[in-house]
Amino acid sequence: MLTPRFFQAVSLALVLCLTSQPGSAQSKPDDKKGPQPAQIDRNGVLTLVRSTILALQHANQTGNYTVLRDLGSPGFQQANTAARLSEVFADLRGRNFDLSGVAVLEPQLSLLPQIETNGLMHMAGSFPSVPLQVNFELLFAPDAGRWKLFGISLNLGQSGPTPPEPSPAVQPMPPKAPAKSQRLPSTKKPPQPTQP
């Protein structure tokens, strides 16, 4: 379990993006109910996840969130100015945490890419790293035949499972006395010498 000491949530309000332009992220109305698996290959997923988090890393390094904003979908751009993004990610930037490791680490998806009923592609997962794990949740909107950032939630947590609490000391049992060895009488007759 992650404790507040190891867990710092940094998120860009997804609700703002979702409600800013009703219907702007929808591709086509879908009669199917519920989320559907997204038709995207592994390389496409890796490209979207890594490029998005690296864009955030570059914005944090430079303090310039214009490119991150410009890479987003129209709904993302309308809901967020570069100054607002700077405010949202001020804590992460202040902690000077380097996110560039996502370029070489393999993400572990906890939510496979799926198309929500509003047409957005949704995915979530983590990059297990040391000393902190990078957890992410991303939304992408279709725009001119490409997926563009619509929402991002990023938090840092403790990497890997925490070790169990040490158990109370167990008193050693006194050693047992060695068992006496008893020789059982043999039931075999000794071999008889043979005469020539």
Side-chain angles (χ1 to χ4, degrees), residues 125-141:
S126 63
F127 286 92
S129 58
V130 175
L132 295 175
Q133 175 171 292
V134 178
N135 303 302
F136 63 88
E137 186 169 359
L138 302 169
L139 287 172
F140 295 93

Side-chain angles (χ1 to χ4, degrees), residues 1-189:
M1 181 173 167
L2 299 177
T3 62
R5 188 178 75 168
F6 290 105
F7 185 77
Q8 175 63 44
V10 180
S11 64
L12 182 122
L14 297 175
V15 175
L16 249 181
C17 296
L18 292 172
T19 59
S20 65
Q21 286 286 320
S24 66
Q26 295 181 2
S27 51
K28 292 182 182 175
D30 195 354
D31 294 334
K32 298 177 186 177
K33 299 200 181 215
Q36 300 295 315
Q39 299 301 314
I40 185 170
D41 66 7
R42 179 179 174 277
N43 291 335
V45 170
L46 290 176
T47 300
L48 286 173
V49 172
R50 287 178 173 155
S51 64
T52 300
I53 296 175
L54 288 173
L56 176 58
Q57 168 64 19
H58 296 151
N60 284 340
Q61 280 181 314
T62 63
N64 183 348
Y65 291 81
T66 306
V67 174
L68 177 64
R69 180 184 179 274
D70 290 349
L71 289 173
S73 65
F76 181 84
Q77 292 175 13
Q78 289 174 358
N80 299 287
T81 64
R84 167 144 170 68
L85 293 173
S86 179
E87 290 172 17
V88 169
F89 292 107
D91 183 60
L92 183 63
R93 184 175 63 251
R95 293 174 68 186
N96 201 27
F97 186 79
D98 187 4
L99 297 169
S100 61
V102 303
V104 295
L105 296 172
E106 188 75 20
Q108 296 178 354
L109 295 179
S110 56
L111 175 65
L112 295 177
Q114 63 185 29
I115 306 300
E116 301 293 343
T117 55
N118 59 3
L120 296 175
M121 182 168 56
H122 184 199
M123 65 180 84
S126 63
F127 286 92
S129 58
V130 175
L132 295 175
Q133 175 171 292
V134 178
N135 303 302
F136 63 88
E137 186 169 359
L138 302 169
L139 287 172
F140 295 93
D143 183 53
R146 298 181 65 192
W147 290 108
K148 292 191 176 178
L149 181 64
F150 190 76
I152 179 173
S153 175
L154 183 77
N155 62 57
L156 307 175
Q158 185 175 1
S159 182
T162 55
E165 293 291 322
S167 57
V170 178
Q171 296 297 325
M173 294 185 67
K176 291 184 179 181
K180 294 181 181 177
S181 78
Q182 295 179 347
R183 187 167 190 168
L184 296 176
S186 176
T187 57
K188 290 185 179 179
K189 294 184 181 180

Side-chain angles (χ1 to χ4, degrees), residues 188-196:
K188 290 185 179 179
K189 294 184 181 180
Q192 297 292 327
T194 58
Q195 294 182 356

